């Protein structure tokens, strides 16, 4: 099982990936997490990537494809691709890479979320530096520490309202055409992302168990 999990910023790709990894014993490849780890390392490459990612723009396709291939080669497990592909050239490169590796994409699942929900979700998101938990906080009374492990919470630099709006625009222009690419291939399914995380997970699980 190799799944492309699509959705706009804040749709719940990361939240669902955590659940799917546990339930279906999959490897989770989030290109956003890969990029943030490189940025946090303070490397020369990380500094260059930070200038792009923190403004909500896309990293060039060739760079992303090269980074991804190394990670895919390292795992024999089924994979959830979270945040990749984000452009039609990336989708084509993924198909070609999987074919070279004797694998294929089995499911393309779009978590559909109304745009009016996006900014609210992104502005309320906090992530734990220690355990990586993705939280949705009450902005009037945000917790100081992670409720699960007591770790420090942080806000992603691209999670300001202005940058979230820009990311949504980038998504509309560059990533929505990927939906059409996959619709033509017949593996594309949508789930309603505007339900509880548990219900979204139930809907995705049903698709994967068919
Ligand atoms: P990336 O990290 O992939 O960001 P994104 O696509 O904008 O998606 P998010 O991580 O913001 O949202 P999500 O769908 O994971 O939602 P989450 O589960 O956290 O990419 C970041 C950047 O990296 C890009 O902008 C780009 O610069 C670069 N990049 C990455 N991949 C690239 C590529 N392939 N090519 C080029 N550049 C690339 O949930 C959001 C919030 O909602 C949380 O607070 C959560 O608790 C809450 N929530 C989740 N589900 C629900 C629910 N059902 N109900 C209520 N609240 C919910
Ligand atoms: Mg995410």
């Amino acid at each position: 099982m190799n799944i492309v999990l699509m959705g706009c910023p804040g749709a719940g790709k990361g939240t669902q990936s955590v659940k799917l990894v546990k339930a279906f014993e999959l490897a989770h490849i989030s290109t956003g997490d890969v990029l943030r780890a490189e940025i946090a390392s303070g490397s020369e490459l990380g500094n260059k990537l930070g200038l792009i990612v923190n403004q909500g723009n896309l990293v060039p396709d060739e760079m992303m494809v090269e980074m991804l291939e190394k990670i895919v080669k390292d795992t024999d497990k089924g994979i959830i691709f979270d945040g990749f592909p984000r452009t039609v050239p990336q989708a084509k490169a993924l198909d070609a890479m999987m074919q070279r590796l004797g694998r294929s994409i089995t499911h393309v699942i779009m978590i559909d979320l109304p745009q009016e929900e996006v900014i609210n979700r992104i502005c309320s998101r906090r992530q734990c530096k220690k355990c990586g938990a993705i939280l949705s906080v009450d902005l009037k009374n945000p917790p100081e520490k992670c409720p699960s492990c007591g770790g420090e919470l942080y806000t992603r630099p691209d999670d300001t309202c202005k940058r979230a709006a820009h990311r949504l625009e980038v998504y509309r222009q560059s990533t929505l055409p990927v939906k059409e690419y996959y619709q033509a291939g017949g593996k594309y399914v949508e789930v309603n992302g505007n339900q509880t995380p548990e219900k979204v997970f139930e809907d995705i699980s049903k698709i994967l168990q068919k």
Side-chain angles (χ1 to χ4, degrees):
M1 196 186 281
N2 296 301
I3 306 159
V4 168
L5 198 54
M6 292 189 67
C8 63
K13 302 180 294 293
T15 302
Q16 293 304 319
S17 293
V18 172
K19 294 177 184 295
L20 292 165
V21 160
K22 277 193 201 146
F24 295 92
E25 292 183 25
L26 299 164
H28 176 209
I29 301 179
S30 156
T31 42
D33 288 347
V34 170
L35 293 167
R36 281 185 288 276
E38 189 65 45
I39 294 165
S41 78
S43 68
E44 199 180 324
L45 173 64
N47 292 341
K48 279 187 195 156
L49 292 171
L51 295 175
I52 303 171
V53 173
N54 293 341
Q55 296 300 323
N57 293 314
L58 295 184
V59 171
D61 289 337
E62 321 78 63
M63 237 167 143
M64 280 314 310
V65 172
E66 200 184 318
M67 284 171 100
L68 190 85
E69 181 146 5
K70 285 185 195 142
I71 304 169
V72 172
K73 276 182 178 162
D74 267 359
T75 183
D76 294 330
K77 283 188 175 177
I79 299 170
I80 304 174
F81 293 96
D82 160 3
F84 190 99
R86 257 177 151 91
T87 63
V88 173
Q90 287 185 13
K92 291 181 179 168
L94 179 62
D95 279 345
M97 178 200 309
M98 294 300 268
Q99 199 176 9
R100 273 199 308 281
L101 299 173
R103 308 177 73 164
S104 64
I105 297 300
T106 53
H107 303 81
V108 179
I109 300 176
M110 164 71 88
I111 306 177
D112 197 30
L113 187 70
Q115 286 172 17
E116 54 272 21
E117 292 293 324
V118 172
I119 305 294
N120 184 26
R121 277 209 193 171
I122 286 186
C123 296
S124 327
R125 174 171 48 197
R126 299 290 179 277
Q127 215 158 337
C128 175
K129 274 192 180 168
K130 197 170 162 195
C131 72
I134 303 168
L135 308 172
S136 181
V137 304
D138 176 357
L139 289 174
K140 288 186 197 136
N141 187 20
E144 285 179 10
K145 300 277 175 196
C146 172
S148 311
C149 74
E152 192 184 334
L153 297 177
Y154 75 98
T155 306
R156 277 170 39 178
D158 59 345
D159 272 358
T160 63
C161 296
K162 196 174 160 200
R163 286 177 190 166
H166 177 64
R167 280 157 62 199
L168 194 55
E169 191 48 40
V170 170
Y171 172 81
R172 279 198 209 104
Q173 284 187 12
S174 302
T175 308
L176 269 185
V178 176
K179 169 177 164 176
E180 285 153 36
Y181 174 84
Y182 281 127
Q183 275 175 324
K187 292 173 194 165
Y188 177 90
V189 194
E190 282 182 8
V191 297
N192 176 8
N194 202 12
Q195 320 178 76
T196 63
E198 293 71 28
K199 186 69 179 63
V200 178
F201 174 68
E202 197 183 310
D203 288 357
I204 296 177
S205 298
K206 278 186 197 153
I207 294 166
L208 298 178
Q209 282 159 350
K210 263 186 203 163

